[in-house]
Amino acid sequence: MREVEVVGVRVELPTNQPLVLLRETEGSRYLPIWIGAVEASAIAYAQEGAETARPLTHELMQHLVLALGDELEEVRIIDVHDGVFFASLIFASGAQVEARPSDSIALALRSGARIVCAEDVLDEAGIQSTREEDEEVERFREFLDEIDPEDFG
């Protein structure tokens, strides 16, 4: 497993499909995962640390985990088949729950859990970074500084 960090979310044109972009913390590969608009908003809110008047779904999930006396320790992106990614939530109690990566990432950002990805998933779906791509990622980060979660619909 390789630790990854969330670079951010964006809308891919011309399809208007949101994606979350992950990057190896100790490496040069990026992992784009196409996600739904609701999950893109949830991830963007979590990255911004935005407060909401009432708990959103992923905030509710985090509150439930804590109320039940557990803690999310790690999110694992474990597999990819035909462009569909699979993840597992790993809890301090030893419990493991299958989940979509988008939900898992939104929850990890709220709980401070680390996110890791299987090496074979990065080998299959990861994109090797080049200087040009690093510059594109920097432009992407600047774009993220100007976008609001509401922009995802």
Side-chain angles (χ1 to χ4, degrees):
M1 292 286 191
R2 305 282 299 207
E3 189 165 359
V4 295
E5 66 179 358
V6 179
V7 175
V9 291
R10 72 179 282 179
V11 175
E12 190 67 24
L13 296 175
T15 63
N16 288 329
Q17 178 70 37
L19 67 84
V20 61
L21 185 62
L22 306 175
R23 178 180 61 198
E24 283 182 296
T25 57
E26 306 252 341
S28 59
R29 290 179 290 186
Y30 291 88
L31 184 66
I33 301 176
W34 279 260
I35 60 176
V38 172
E39 293 79 12
S41 293
I43 292 169
Y45 273 123
Q47 277 196 300
E48 289 182 0
E51 297 290 323
T52 57
R54 298 182 306 150
L56 300 175
T57 303
H58 298 94
E59 293 167 318
L60 171 63
M61 291 169 59
Q62 176 61 14
H63 295 305
L64 284 169
V65 168
L66 294 175
L68 294 170
D70 213 343
E71 181 181 349
L72 179 64
E73 287 191 339
E74 186 173 82
V75 164
R76 295 178 183 165
I77 300 170
I78 56 172
D79 209 353
V80 59
H81 292 288
D82 299 322
V84 177
F85 291 82
F86 299 84
S88 290
L89 303 172
I90 309 301
F91 294 92
S93 66
Q96 295 187 24
V97 177
E98 291 183 25
R100 297 183 304 179
S102 56
D103 293 325
S104 302
I105 291 165
L107 190 55
L109 290 172
R110 283 176 177 73
S111 65
R114 74 185 210 131
I115 304 169
V116 296
C117 184
E119 187 77 36
D120 59 329
V121 171
L122 282 165
D123 289 343
E124 182 176 336
I127 300 167
Q128 189 68 34
S129 168
T130 64
R131 182 182 184 114
E132 183 178 293
E133 288 166 334
D134 286 338
E135 290 170 1
E136 175 67 19
V137 168
E138 186 56 37
R139 287 191 298 275
F140 179 46
R141 284 183 187 264
E142 291 170 6
F143 165 76
L144 291 175
D145 290 340
E146 300 170 9
I147 197 162
D148 291 318
E150 293 86 13
D151 294 337
F152 292 104

